[in-house]
Amino acid sequence: MAGILVKCLFFFVSLCLAINLAKCIPNTKKTYIIQMDKWAKPDVFIDHVKWYSSLVKSVLPSTPEGEKTGDEEERILYSYQTAFHGVAAQLSEEEVKKLQERNGVLAVFPEIKYQLHTTRSPLFLGLDREDSSKLWADRLSDHNVIVGVLDTGIWPESPSFNDTGMTSVPAHWKGVCETGRGFEKHHCSKKIVGARVFFRGYEAASGKINERGEFKSARDQDGHGTHTAGTVAGSVVRGANLLGYAYGTARGMAPGARVAAYKVCWVGGCFSSDILSAVDQAVADGVNVLSISLGGGVSSYNRDSLSIAAFGAMEKGVFVSCSAGNGGPDPISLTNVSPWITTVGASTMDRDFPATVKLGTGKIVTGASLYKGRMNLSTQKQFPLIYLGSNSSSLMPSSLCLDGTLDKASVAGKIVICDRGISPRVQKGQVVKEAGGVGMILTNTAANGEELVADCHLLPAVAVGEREGRAIKRYASGRNATATLRFLGTKLGIRPSPVVAAFSSRGPNFLTLEILKPDMVAPGVNILAGWTGALGPSSLPIDQRRTNFNILSGTSMSCPHVSGIAALLKARHPDWSPAAIKSALMTTAYVHDNTYKSLKDASSVTPSTPYDHGAGHINPMKAVDPGLIYDIGAQDYFEFLCTQELSPSQLMVFGKFSNRTCHHSLANPGDLNYPAISAVFPEKVSMLTLHRTVTNVGSPISNYHVVVSSFKGAVVKVEPAQLNFTSKNQKLSYKVTFKTISRQKAPEFGSLIWKDGTHKVRSPIAITWLASA
């Protein structure tokens, strides 16, 4: 009997494989975001939520009696009604196909997983100077700017969120303080004005959150969200430091601004349906700025749900700042490239945390570290040095110090050289420590170049650049190699600085070459800000140390710098649009370091380009009074989309909310009134004209003249060469004609600057000649 059953089972499986195994398995449900045409709602429904529920119900399978299964409410995770219109629901592929045929459905997006893009910065940016205090005085209390931070939540007890001296919560604020484990109503304040959690998409994809191991509330267990929120709007805290490093006064970019925490990231990642719901809710709550330090790759504009939601937020007057990503120095590694999003890369500051490696030969190599512990190595003694890799450029699991790859007998009592990559930097140190090593030298690979990122290691450890790392490894391959490590604390006045971080994602923007990205760079290396009380500064579970502040690096850290400065500008200029704020930040950015030389790229130690630093490094003191701005309205952005070869149905995902249609006012994408100028020559095209319009936000009577770079491959002519304004907010237009004289294989870069004796309104220029396919 058992043999017959086995044969039947074998026959059934074989049959399934023959006719398509997938059809024999019940359709698995996945999360999809369904964008709806809000104007298509039939009158029989009293509201949009009822209509959405009915549409989902209409595609669900029926019972044998012909009744619907009745689980449509469980299938719907979110309803979106402000920056985006539609629902997130769990559906099978067959149900999605049916739904796409229903009237009113504009688009369906599959769930996407996003990842986090993981002081001295106010002083470095000029925000702690006496003249700065006068410049920004009382502005925030007058206008009550609120910044929504989409991240891992917030640690409300952090001194960065002290609300002493703050006025009452703004009357326009509609947000709430959601409670949960470890987060009660009293944790919100005049500083933290709102806190919400978004987990339905995450749980649908990853299963229920383990509430014993993770706070299913706005409380931040990871630390990333507390750090970014503190960078945006942290209150002034004197004596801030990390285990003695970076001692001084910490403050956010906009210490008088309010914070609303939207927790969208959990242990297993951040999901697009949760992010979209947070953006939608934040706009409805009344935020003025959205700070989003995460990314999920690049999709076409009409397939990127975050891009579509950000478009809706922009329509409502909300400034959206996003991190560019940590995919550098590889080219074309940017995320969040839509022109209505401010895309922020990362740079260094003039502060460092030096540490040295002294080799047995007497040679001293300078690196960086944030180590502070009991296991200090004697500088009077040398320790055996070992590298478990080969002399070739190829990396090995043991050279990367991956978990379980180090032989205790080989490394006990020695300083171990570990290559950077694959696993977290601090985890490599823990692997060395568990194997009995007494210290670690963390060496950069070619991808990281000479950039030094300091970490709060659990054993004595020093990070060194790629060139010095190679030399140390060569030395270690000989007999009786020894070394010792020394930690030198905090050093200021580092030159050159700023430098574009090696990890900062790079352009060009392959979706649209005519939109130069990133937009700008801001401090993102070794940033001190508030930290969670649930985790040690190394972020390793074994780390029992607790600190109020931590030092982190990433474009996740640079993004909130720009978000905070945007809040300052919104407070000073409440009538400015998101595009006006972006323009002020871009046209006043600088492209030189503190040695008065061109900004450099940390990965190559050569001059960086606008594909690396965008318009340049932010300069808040100049941005408050830019002289001229390049303003862009929602319809202008829509006209840009009309140049992107999108079908009418694809354009509807952006235009349906406001019933937008194409007026075809832009001859090509480069005509968008963007503060950066990118001329793209198709094959056989030798002349190109782009148009711009500037608005005078300076003195009513202002006279500007233009200065433009020279190029090898093209002659550039600006008409008119002078702009004479007679009133404030007056708009004047000009055109830039590019004429090819010699097609170049590589892009060329330069700038166009309008000067009036007080202001220098600078736009970066990129010229690209496309080769035949």
Side-chain angles (χ1 to χ4, degrees):
M1 183 67 182
I4 295 174
L5 287 173
V6 170
K7 289 180 180 178
C8 289
L9 180 61
F10 177 79
F11 173 77
F12 175 73
V13 172
S14 301
L15 181 64
C16 282
L17 291 172
I19 65 172
N20 188 342
L21 180 60
K23 292 182 180 178
C24 294
I25 299 174
N27 272 326
T28 56
K29 295 188 287 291
K30 298 179 181 178
T31 301
Y32 293 87
I33 298 166
I34 301 101
Q35 187 177 16
M36 301 296 300
D37 175 3
K38 67 170 292 188
W39 306 107
K41 179 181 74 67
D43 293 337
V44 296
F45 296 101
I46 59 173
D47 59 36
H48 286 83
V49 174
K50 295 290 186 184
W51 177 40
Y52 301 156
S53 178
S54 175
L55 280 172
V56 171
K57 182 178 180 180
S58 71
V59 301
L60 300 186
S62 302
T63 64
E65 291 75 25
E67 297 292 329
K68 294 295 180 181
T69 56
D71 66 344
E72 67 273 9
E73 296 302 326
E74 294 180 7
R75 296 287 198 98
I76 294 176
L77 304 179
Y78 295 108
S79 293
Y80 310 118
Q81 300 186 69
T82 306
F84 188 92
H85 294 273
V87 292
Q90 287 196 286
L91 301 167
S92 67
E93 290 185 11
E94 183 179 346
E95 291 163 352
V96 168
K97 290 177 182 177
K98 291 179 182 178
L99 193 63
Q100 287 174 317
E101 298 172 356
R102 298 293 193 265
N103 181 51
V105 176
L106 294 178
V108 178
F109 310 98
E111 181 85 282
I112 295 174
K113 185 178 180 180
Y114 286 67
Q115 297 293 343
L116 296 165
H117 288 151
T118 216
T119 231
R120 174 144 177 90
S121 50
L123 183 60
F124 183 65
L125 294 172
L127 293 175
D128 268 358
R129 300 205 309 255
E130 184 178 350
D131 55 343
S132 164
S133 299
K134 294 176 182 176
L135 185 63
W136 303 107
D138 297 324
R139 294 293 177 179
L140 286 167
S141 59
D142 289 344
H143 301 292
N144 287 314
V145 177
I146 299 171
V147 182
V149 181
L150 273 65
D151 216 293
T152 62
I154 197 163
W155 191 264
E157 293 84 4
S158 168
S160 292
F161 307 122
N162 188 326
D163 68 351
T164 301
M166 297 194 75
T167 58
S168 58
V169 176
H172 79 270
W173 178 243
K174 301 182 182 67
V176 300
C177 189
E178 293 181 354
T179 61
R181 187 170 77 88
F183 206 97
E184 303 298 334
K185 292 286 186 184
H186 71 269
H187 286 125
C188 286
S189 63
K190 288 179 284 187
K191 168 61 78 173
I192 303 173
V193 297
R196 293 183 186 268
V197 294
F198 302 85
F199 53 79
R200 295 174 192 168
Y202 174 78
E203 287 195 334
S206 306
K208 292 291 184 181
I209 292 170
N210 178 5
E211 296 191 49
R212 286 180 296 178
E214 187 171 8
F215 292 108
K216 195 174 180 179
S217 71
R219 182 167 290 278
D220 178 18
Q221 188 162 318
D222 179 272
H224 191 278
T226 300
H227 198 280
T228 55
T231 302
V232 170
S235 302
V236 175
V237 181
R238 292 176 175 80
N241 68 92
L242 169 61
L243 304 177
Y245 288 100
Y247 187 92
T249 298
R251 49 160 282 178
M253 298 298 99
R258 324 292 180 131
V259 171
Y262 296 86
K263 186 172 180 177
V264 297
C265 295
W266 306 87
V267 168
C270 329
F271 286 79
S272 55
S273 60
D274 297 328
I275 296 166
L276 186 55
S277 185
V279 171
D280 190 65
Q281 187 61 63
V283 174
D285 287 345
V287 301
N288 305 104
V289 175
L290 277 171
S291 189
I292 306 175
S293 288
L294 44 84
V298 177
S299 303
S300 59
Y301 299 113
N302 64 295
R303 299 297 300 169
D304 185 340
S305 58
L306 177 56
S307 173
I308 296 168
F311 189 96
M314 173 273 300
E315 285 187 298
K316 298 285 189 179
V318 177
F319 179 92
V320 181
S321 174
C322 291
S323 48
N326 297 339
D330 291 341
I332 321 177
S333 52
L334 292 167
T335 63
N336 303 316
V337 297
S338 298
W340 46 89
I341 289 174
T342 298
T343 311
V344 188
S347 57
T348 65
M349 296 189 300
D350 64 343
R351 179 183 67 194
D352 209 349
F353 307 101
T356 60
V357 178
K358 185 176 182 180
L359 302 177
T361 60
K363 179 181 179 180
I364 296 177
V365 175
T366 299
S369 181
L370 291 169
Y371 174 72
K372 180 64 74 72
R374 299 173 182 173
M375 290 177 57
N376 283 312
L377 302 180
S378 170
T379 57
Q380 306 302 314
K381 178 183 176 183
Q382 288 279 307
F383 298 84
L385 181 65
I386 187 171
Y387 177 59
L388 296 174
S390 66
N391 288 325
S392 68
S393 58
S394 59
L395 304 178
M396 302 166 57
S398 58
S399 76
L400 290 162
C401 299
L402 301 182
D403 195 18
T405 63
L406 299 185
D407 176 40
K408 292 185 178 182
S410 299
V411 305
K414 298 176 182 177
I415 295 174
V416 182
I417 302 169
C418 298
D419 288 314
R420 189 170 161 183
I422 307 297
S423 63
R425 300 181 298 269
V426 289
Q427 187 175 320
K428 295 175 188 294
Q430 181 61 22
V431 170
V432 171
K433 183 178 180 181
E434 290 175 353
V438 296
M440 175 180 71
I441 300 172
L442 182 66
T443 65
N444 281 359
T445 60
N448 316 116
E450 303 311 306
E451 173 182 78
L452 297 179
V453 177
D455 292 299
C456 197
H457 293 281
L458 287 169
L459 88 167
V462 177
V464 299
E466 193 257 346
R467 284 198 303 267
E468 297 287 13
R470 275 191 280 115
I472 293 173
K473 285 185 277 192
R474 281 197 301 270
Y475 167 69
S477 65
R479 296 180 61 185
N480 302 320
T482 61
T484 191
L485 310 178
R486 185 183 179 196
F487 306 95
L488 304 179
T490 305
K491 184 179 179 181
L492 305 179
I494 299 298
R495 297 160 71 92
S497 63
V499 173
V500 178
F503 60 74
S504 185
S505 289
R506 313 303 169 94
N509 169 13
F510 81 92
L511 271 190
T512 311
L513 281 174
E514 291 85 352
I515 302 299
L516 197 57
K517 290 279 183 173
D519 291 312
M520 64 200 72
V521 293
V525 179
N526 297 334
I527 304 301
L528 180 78
W531 188 241
T532 176
L535 200 61
S538 70
S539 294
L540 296 176
I542 199 171
D543 190 353
Q544 298 302 309
R545 299 171 297 179
R546 294 295 180 265
T547 60
N548 284 329
F549 293 87
N550 201 1
I551 292 173
L552 301 180
S553 298
T555 54
S556 278
M557 283 64 251
S558 55
C559 169
H561 278 83
V562 168
S563 306
I565 306 259
L568 289 174
L569 293 175
K570 187 66 176 177
R572 183 68 187 264
H573 302 286
D575 58 328
W576 277 12
S577 67
I581 294 173
K582 179 197 279 193
S583 174
L585 290 167
M586 290 178 67
T587 61
T588 59
Y590 57 84
V591 290
H592 58 271
D593 59 32
N594 56 2
T595 68
Y596 302 102
K597 295 180 181 179
S598 297
L599 291 177
K600 288 186 173 58
D601 179 347
S603 67
S604 61
V605 202
T606 57
S608 56
T609 76
Y611 285 169
D612 309 317
H613 60 238
H617 190 283
I618 56 168
N619 189 350
M621 295 293 291
K622 294 288 186 182
V624 72
D625 179 23
L628 305 175
I629 58 170
Y630 293 84
D631 209 357
I632 308 174
Q635 182 61 34
D636 301 316
Y637 285 122
F638 189 77
E639 293 295 333
F640 160 78
L641 289 166
C642 296
T643 70
Q644 295 301 291
E645 300 182 356
L646 300 178
S647 68
S649 61
Q650 291 170 335
L651 284 169
M652 283 175 67
V653 304
F654 295 97
K656 200 63 183 178
F657 173 69
S658 300
N659 285 322
R660 300 191 187 282
T661 57
C662 292
H663 300 156
H664 302 291
S665 59
L666 302 183
N668 69 67
D671 267 343
L672 180 68
N673 201 39
Y674 214 65
I677 297 171
S678 179
V680 180
F681 283 96
E683 190 183 11
K684 297 181 180 179
V685 173
S686 60
M687 187 172 289
L688 189 67
T689 299
L690 300 178
H691 302 82
R692 291 291 186 273
T693 298
V694 288
T695 303
N696 178 28
V697 294
S699 300
I701 299 176
S702 303
N703 301 303
Y704 287 83
H705 68 277
V706 73
V707 177
V708 65
S709 302
S710 58
F711 298 87
K712 292 180 181 178
V715 174
V716 182
K717 184 178 182 181
V718 181
E719 298 177 288
Q722 292 191 4
L723 297 175
N724 300 313
F725 294 91
T726 58
S727 62
K728 195 164 186 177
N729 296 319
Q730 180 184 357
K731 296 179 183 292
L732 291 176
S733 298
Y734 67 92
K735 64 179 181 180
V736 188
T737 301
F738 299 85
K739 183 179 180 181
T740 296
I741 55 176
S742 174
R743 294 182 76 91
Q744 303 293 299
K745 293 182 179 179
E748 282 199 84
F749 303 101
S751 64
L752 181 154
I753 307 174
W754 289 103
K755 299 181 178 182
D756 71 344
T758 302
H759 305 95
K760 292 181 181 180
V761 186
R762 182 184 179 279
S763 293
I765 293 177
I767 307 177
T768 306
W769 290 267
L770 299 180
S772 57

